[in-house]
Amino acid sequence: MMRREGRSAVFARALAVLALAAALAGPTPIARAEDAKGSLPPQEVSSGSVTVRLHDVPLLDQDGRKVRFPGDVIGGRVVVIDTFFTTCGLICPILGAIFSDLQEQLGDRLDREVRLISITVDRALEGIGMYSPDFSAHPSAFLVGDGREGKWTRFNGFASPEQLKSRVEELLAERRGKAPAR
């Protein structure tokens, strides 16, 4: 019994390392978002404010250092969060491609003003309302939020990098006390 729990803990840590490595190093998907999205039927994107409970969860970053979610990972930053499963061959590569395009669009603001985070740890996923007991049927969604202000927006469906960037710019403008440039 103890041996099984040990393997689960090692597996969870390994997935956390992969998640943070992807988030901090920036994923390089096989296909660009616009190419990948063409392989699925169009899906309407909806968005709205949500309440999230950020569970205090220990993770390992890509260098094996212990970090706390949300304290170290989100902190007071504006963030865009996606979820992924390493064995998912349909939704997750598309979300990764969207993240890659968003990363390019954010340019030098990445990690200075905005952080992109990919999560695959169940305790953290549950808190942000994106947990699915059946990983093969998990929803396609992004979460954009301001860790300092506690404002969160969930985008259900395959949001475009432009839609995500627009919400990021709105949150950054609200911090500066002015409306975003259109």
Side-chain angles (χ1 to χ4, degrees), residues 1-8:
M1 187 75 143
M2 193 67 152
R3 185 177 206 144
R4 173 179 261 168
E5 291 174 3
R7 285 185 188 153
S8 294

PDB file of all heavy atoms in Angstrom, residues 1-8:
ATOM      1  N   MET A   1       0.827  -1.194   0.000  1.00  0.00           N
ATOM      2  CA  MET A   1       0.000   0.000   0.000  1.00  0.00           C
ATOM      3  C   MET A   1       0.865   1.249   0.000  1.00  0.00           C
ATOM      4  O   MET A   1       0.643   2.163  -0.761  1.00  0.00           O
ATOM      5  CB  MET A   1      -0.909  -0.023   1.232  1.00  0.00           C
ATOM      6  CG  MET A   1      -1.901   1.081   1.229  1.00  0.00           C
ATOM      7  SD  MET A   1      -3.193   0.719   0.051  1.00  0.00           S
ATOM      8  CE  MET A   1      -4.563   1.344   0.903  1.00  0.00           C
ATOM      9  N   MET A   2       1.871   1.284   0.820  1.00  0.00           N
ATOM     10  CA  MET A   2       2.751   2.434   0.896  1.00  0.00           C
ATOM     11  C   MET A   2       3.490   2.626  -0.422  1.00  0.00           C
ATOM     12  O   MET A   2       3.697   3.742  -0.865  1.00  0.00           O
ATOM     13  CB  MET A   2       3.733   2.236   2.052  1.00  0.00           C
ATOM     14  CG  MET A   2       4.465   3.471   2.398  1.00  0.00           C
ATOM     15  SD  MET A   2       3.278   4.640   3.077  1.00  0.00           S
ATOM     16  CE  MET A   2       4.349   5.542   4.105  1.00  0.00           C
ATOM     17  N   ARG A   3       3.850   1.521  -1.062  1.00  0.00           N
ATOM     18  CA  ARG A   3       4.578   1.595  -2.327  1.00  0.00           C
ATOM     19  C   ARG A   3       3.741   2.285  -3.402  1.00  0.00           C
ATOM     20  O   ARG A   3       4.239   3.101  -4.154  1.00  0.00           O
ATOM     21  CB  ARG A   3       4.959   0.188  -2.753  1.00  0.00           C
ATOM     22  CG  ARG A   3       5.815   0.175  -3.968  1.00  0.00           C
ATOM     23  CD  ARG A   3       6.220  -1.248  -4.281  1.00  0.00           C
ATOM     24  NE  ARG A   3       7.445  -1.173  -4.990  1.00  0.00           N
ATOM     25  CZ  ARG A   3       8.422  -2.001  -4.895  1.00  0.00           C
ATOM     26  NH1 ARG A   3       8.333  -3.024  -4.096  1.00  0.00           N
ATOM     27  NH2 ARG A   3       9.500  -1.855  -5.603  1.00  0.00           N
ATOM     28  N   ARG A   4       2.454   1.992  -3.484  1.00  0.00           N
ATOM     29  CA  ARG A   4       1.552   2.617  -4.464  1.00  0.00           C
ATOM     30  C   ARG A   4       1.470   4.122  -4.226  1.00  0.00           C
ATOM     31  O   ARG A   4       1.518   4.915  -5.152  1.00  0.00           O
ATOM     32  CB  ARG A   4       0.172   1.986  -4.382  1.00  0.00           C
ATOM     33  CG  ARG A   4      -0.832   2.720  -5.258  1.00  0.00           C
ATOM     34  CD  ARG A   4      -2.168   2.085  -5.200  1.00  0.00           C
ATOM     35  NE  ARG A   4      -2.253   1.252  -6.391  1.00  0.00           N
ATOM     36  CZ  ARG A   4      -3.166   0.360  -6.611  1.00  0.00           C
ATOM     37  NH1 ARG A   4      -4.073   0.121  -5.704  1.00  0.00           N
ATOM     38  NH2 ARG A   4      -3.198  -0.316  -7.713  1.00  0.00           N
ATOM     39  N   GLU A   5       1.326   4.546  -2.978  1.00  0.00           N
ATOM     40  CA  GLU A   5       1.261   5.963  -2.671  1.00  0.00           C
ATOM     41  C   GLU A   5       2.559   6.654  -3.051  1.00  0.00           C
ATOM     42  O   GLU A   5       2.555   7.771  -3.550  1.00  0.00           O
ATOM     43  CB  GLU A   5       0.966   6.181  -1.185  1.00  0.00           C
ATOM     44  CG  GLU A   5      -0.436   5.772  -0.806  1.00  0.00           C
ATOM     45  CD  GLU A   5      -0.674   5.856   0.679  1.00  0.00           C
ATOM     46  OE1 GLU A   5       0.219   6.274   1.423  1.00  0.00           O
ATOM     47  OE2 GLU A   5      -1.771   5.488   1.092  1.00  0.00           O
ATOM     48  N   GLY A   6       3.681   5.988  -2.854  1.00  0.00           N
ATOM     49  CA  GLY A   6       4.965   6.556  -3.234  1.00  0.00           C
ATOM     50  C   GLY A   6       5.052   6.780  -4.726  1.00  0.00           C
ATOM     51  O   GLY A   6       5.535   7.807  -5.187  1.00  0.00           O
ATOM     52  N   ARG A   7       4.587   5.822  -5.514  1.00  0.00           N
ATOM     53  CA  ARG A   7       4.593   5.974  -6.972  1.00  0.00           C
ATOM     54  C   ARG A   7       3.687   7.111  -7.400  1.00  0.00           C
ATOM     55  O   ARG A   7       4.021   7.870  -8.297  1.00  0.00           O
ATOM     56  CB  ARG A   7       4.138   4.681  -7.644  1.00  0.00           C
ATOM     57  CG  ARG A   7       5.179   3.618  -7.628  1.00  0.00           C
ATOM     58  CD  ARG A   7       4.699   2.422  -8.406  1.00  0.00           C
ATOM     59  NE  ARG A   7       5.628   1.328  -8.234  1.00  0.00           N
ATOM     60  CZ  ARG A   7       5.300   0.065  -8.318  1.00  0.00           C
ATOM     61  NH1 ARG A   7       4.063  -0.275  -8.578  1.00  0.00           N
ATOM     62  NH2 ARG A   7       6.198  -0.883  -8.166  1.00  0.00           N
ATOM     63  N   SER A   8       2.527   7.222  -6.775  1.00  0.00           N
ATOM     64  CA  SER A   8       1.611   8.317  -7.115  1.00  0.00           C
ATOM     65  C   SER A   8       2.251   9.669  -6.833  1.00  0.00           C
ATOM     66  O   SER A   8       2.125  10.604  -7.619  1.00  0.00           O
ATOM     67  CB  SER A   8       0.312   8.206  -6.322  1.00  0.00           C
ATOM     68  OG  SER A   8      -0.388   7.060  -6.722  1.00  0.00           O
TER      69      SER A   8
END
